[in-house]
Amino acid sequence: MPVSHPTVYEPLTEQGAISLAVRLGLFPEGTPLACREIGDGNLNLVFRVVDQQTKKGIIVKQALPYAKVVGESWPLTLKRAVIESNALRTFASYVPQYVPKVYYSDESLAITVMEDLSHLQIARKGLIEGKTYPLLSQHIGEFIAKTSFYTSDFGMNQQEKKQLAQSFVNPELCKITEDLVFTDPFFNHETNNFEDELRDDVKALWNDDKLRLEVAKLKRKFLTEGDALIHGDLHTGSIFASDEETKIIDPEFAFYGPFGFDIGQFFANLLLNALSRPEQQQEPLFAHIDKTWDVFATIFSDLWRTHNVEPYAKTEGLLEDVLHHTFIDAIGFAGCEVIRRTIGLAHVADLDGIEDKEERLQAKRYALRLGRSLILQRETLSSTKEIRSLFAQTVLAATN
Ligand code: SR1
Ligand code: MG
C-alpha cells in the first residue's frame, strides 16, 4: 500500500518519521519500527527510527521554522536544512570518515535523513563526565585541514570556488553568529543571560573599549573573509565521539568564512570544559588544543605543497603568513566564543552544570577573564602551549 506523505512543509511527528523511512525503503518491508524524538539542540527536531529487532536505526532531522531554544517568536529559515545536507555531502567528498552518511534530503520539507550515530556519544557530554577521547584532536585537526584546504582558493579551481561559495550563502544563520557571538555579549543586550552576581564583571566587559575594538576587528573578519567552506558551529555539542571514532554533525551554519573560525570554536569549547574540571584533570584538554593545531598545520602545509592550484603557492613566506593569521584569528575567535557561552543566549552545560553555585560563579568569572585575555593577547602567543600559562594567569589574577 503506498504511504501518503506531505509535500508542503509541516513539522514531522514520530509516526511521520516512520512513514518516511518506510517510503524511502531504508528498512526491509514488514520491519517492526519504533521512533522517538531525541533532539536536545537549540534549533531542530531529531527523530531516531529503529528496527526493534536488530536495533539498527536511522536519523531523520527536520528544521523547524523558528529557533527552538527561544520559541516561535524567533523565525528562522528552513533553507538551513539544505545548507546542512549539502555541507555534509561536500565534507564527505574529502573526509567521509568524519561525517554521517546522508541517505536522503528534501528541501521543501527541510528534512535530512542520515546515519544513526547512537553508538557514539556527544563529545560535550563525555567531556563533562571526564572522558578524554584520545583521538578527538587528531580527527578534528584533519577534518578542518582537509575541508578548509580543498574548498579554498589554494585547493580548488578558483572559479568553481566562487560558485560553491554562492551555494553556501547563509545570511540568517551567519546573523545569529554575528549577533550572539560577536555583538550582543559585548553590549547590554536583551539576549544576554547571566546571573545577577556576575553583573559587575559583565559591566566591566561592556565598558572595556580596548576589548570592544579587538572584538570589532574579529567580527569584521567573520563578516568579510571567505577563505573556505567552514562548519560554522564546531562546538563540542556538534561532535559525536568514542575512543576510536569522531563524527562531525550539524553544519547548518556552514558558509564561506575565515580559516580560523572552526578551530577557534573548538578550542573555546575545550577551554570551557577545562574551566569546569579540577586543575589536575585539565591537561588532556590543553593537549587536545596543541594536537588540533599541530595536525591542522601539518596536513594543511602538506596539501599546500602537493596540491596547490595558486600560482603564488611557492612564494616564500605565503604559507607561513596564512598559518600565522589563522592561528591568531583562531585564538581571538575562541575568546569571543568563551565569553558568549558564559553570558550570552546559548550557554554550555560544562559551566551551567557545575552544581555548587559559588564554584559555578567562579568558573564563569574565570571564563570572562580568559575570553578577554585570549582576545587581547592573541597576537602575543607564539604557540598553543602558551594557552596553559594564559589560563593559569587568568585564574591566578582572579584569586589575587
Ligand atoms: C538561536 S541558536 C543559538 C546557538 O545554537 C547554535 O548551536 C549556535 O551555536 C547558535 O549560536
Ligand atoms: Mg547545532
Side-chain angles (χ1 to χ4, degrees), residues 42-43 67 69 74 176 180 233 235 253 340-341 345-346:
N42 293 326
L43 301 175
V69 66
W74 186 337
I176 291 180
L180 296 188
D233 195 26
H235 56 84
F253 284 75
R340 81 88 173 223
R341 294 291 185 188
L345 178 91

Short mmCIF file of all heavy atoms in Angstrom, two decimals, residues 42-43 67 69 74 176 180 233 235 253 340-341 345-346, ligand 1:
data_model
loop_
_atom_site.label_atom_id
_atom_site.label_comp_id
_atom_site.label_asym_id
_atom_site.label_seq_id
_atom_site.Cartn_x
_atom_site.Cartn_y
_atom_site.Cartn_z
N ASN A 42 19.39 23.38 19.95
CA ASN A 42 18.69 24.66 20.05
C ASN A 42 17.69 24.90 18.94
O ASN A 42 16.86 25.79 19.04
CB ASN A 42 19.71 25.81 20.02
CG ASN A 42 20.57 25.82 21.26
OD1 ASN A 42 20.12 25.47 22.34
ND2 ASN A 42 21.83 26.23 21.10
N LEU A 43 17.76 24.10 17.84
CA LEU A 43 17.05 24.54 16.64
C LEU A 43 16.13 23.53 15.95
O LEU A 43 15.20 23.94 15.29
CB LEU A 43 18.08 25.01 15.59
CG LEU A 43 19.01 26.16 15.99
CD1 LEU A 43 20.03 26.42 14.89
CD2 LEU A 43 18.21 27.42 16.25
N ALA A 67 13.57 29.20 15.97
CA ALA A 67 14.64 28.69 16.83
C ALA A 67 14.01 28.06 18.08
O ALA A 67 13.39 28.76 18.88
CB ALA A 67 15.57 29.83 17.22
N VAL A 69 15.18 27.01 20.76
CA VAL A 69 15.71 27.48 22.04
C VAL A 69 14.97 28.71 22.55
O VAL A 69 14.88 28.94 23.76
CB VAL A 69 17.24 27.75 21.93
CG1 VAL A 69 17.53 28.91 21.00
CG2 VAL A 69 17.88 28.00 23.28
N TRP A 74 10.95 33.61 17.28
CA TRP A 74 12.22 33.83 16.56
C TRP A 74 12.20 33.00 15.28
O TRP A 74 12.70 31.87 15.25
CB TRP A 74 13.40 33.43 17.45
CG TRP A 74 14.74 33.75 16.85
CD1 TRP A 74 15.04 33.93 15.53
CD2 TRP A 74 15.96 33.93 17.57
NE1 TRP A 74 16.37 34.21 15.39
CE2 TRP A 74 16.96 34.21 16.62
CE3 TRP A 74 16.32 33.86 18.92
CZ2 TRP A 74 18.29 34.43 16.97
CZ3 TRP A 74 17.64 34.07 19.27
CH2 TRP A 74 18.62 34.36 18.31
N ILE A 176 22.97 35.04 13.17
CA ILE A 176 22.90 34.54 14.56
C ILE A 176 24.28 34.61 15.18
O ILE A 176 24.46 35.08 16.31
CB ILE A 176 22.36 33.09 14.58
CG1 ILE A 176 20.88 33.07 14.18
CG2 ILE A 176 22.56 32.46 15.96
CD1 ILE A 176 20.25 31.68 14.18
N LEU A 180 25.09 36.77 18.25
CA LEU A 180 25.24 36.06 19.54
C LEU A 180 26.69 35.85 19.96
O LEU A 180 26.97 35.74 21.15
CB LEU A 180 24.52 34.71 19.50
CG LEU A 180 23.00 34.75 19.32
CD1 LEU A 180 22.41 33.35 19.49
CD2 LEU A 180 22.33 35.70 20.29
N ASP A 233 29.82 26.12 13.33
CA ASP A 233 29.28 25.96 14.70
C ASP A 233 29.95 24.75 15.37
O ASP A 233 29.29 23.90 15.95
CB ASP A 233 27.75 25.76 14.62
CG ASP A 233 27.05 25.96 15.97
OD1 ASP A 233 27.58 26.70 16.82
OD2 ASP A 233 25.97 25.37 16.15
N HIS A 235 31.30 23.44 17.92
CA HIS A 235 31.50 23.28 19.37
C HIS A 235 31.42 21.79 19.70
O HIS A 235 31.11 20.97 18.82
CB HIS A 235 30.47 24.11 20.14
CG HIS A 235 29.04 23.81 19.80
ND1 HIS A 235 28.34 22.77 20.38
CD2 HIS A 235 28.17 24.38 18.92
CE1 HIS A 235 27.11 22.73 19.91
NE2 HIS A 235 26.99 23.70 19.01
N PHE A 253 25.20 25.92 10.01
CA PHE A 253 25.77 27.27 9.99
C PHE A 253 26.88 27.40 8.94
O PHE A 253 27.57 28.41 8.90
CB PHE A 253 26.35 27.63 11.36
CG PHE A 253 25.30 27.98 12.40
CD1 PHE A 253 24.54 26.98 12.99
CD2 PHE A 253 25.09 29.29 12.78
CE1 PHE A 253 23.57 27.29 13.94
CE2 PHE A 253 24.12 29.62 13.73
CZ PHE A 253 23.36 28.61 14.31
N ARG A 340 30.74 34.41 25.01
CA ARG A 340 29.31 34.31 24.69
C ARG A 340 28.65 33.08 25.33
O ARG A 340 27.49 33.11 25.69
CB ARG A 340 29.10 34.37 23.18
CG ARG A 340 29.32 33.11 22.40
CD ARG A 340 28.03 32.29 22.35
NE ARG A 340 28.22 31.17 21.44
CZ ARG A 340 27.33 30.79 20.56
NH1 ARG A 340 26.18 31.39 20.48
NH2 ARG A 340 27.58 29.78 19.77
N ARG A 341 29.42 31.99 25.49
CA ARG A 341 28.83 30.79 26.12
C ARG A 341 28.66 30.99 27.63
O ARG A 341 28.05 30.17 28.31
CB ARG A 341 29.72 29.57 25.88
CG ARG A 341 29.79 29.13 24.43
CD ARG A 341 28.50 28.56 23.92
NE ARG A 341 28.62 28.03 22.56
CZ ARG A 341 27.58 27.63 21.84
NH1 ARG A 341 26.36 27.69 22.31
NH2 ARG A 341 27.77 27.17 20.61
N LEU A 345 23.28 34.17 24.88
CA LEU A 345 22.00 33.46 24.83
C LEU A 345 22.13 31.95 25.00
O LEU A 345 21.36 31.34 25.74
CB LEU A 345 21.32 33.74 23.48
CG LEU A 345 20.00 33.02 23.28
CD1 LEU A 345 18.84 33.87 23.78
CD2 LEU A 345 19.77 32.66 21.82
N ALA A 346 23.09 31.34 24.32
CA ALA A 346 23.18 29.87 24.35
C ALA A 346 24.37 29.45 25.22
O ALA A 346 25.51 29.58 24.81
CB ALA A 346 23.32 29.33 22.93
C1 SR1 B 1 19.45 30.59 18.39
S1 SR1 B 1 20.69 29.44 18.11
C2 SR1 B 1 21.80 29.54 19.43
C3 SR1 B 1 23.07 28.82 19.18
O1 SR1 B 1 22.83 27.45 18.94
C4 SR1 B 1 23.62 27.01 17.85
O2 SR1 B 1 24.20 25.77 18.12
C5 SR1 B 1 24.64 28.09 17.62
O3 SR1 B 1 25.79 27.92 18.41
C6 SR1 B 1 23.87 29.29 17.99
O4 SR1 B 1 24.67 30.41 18.26
#
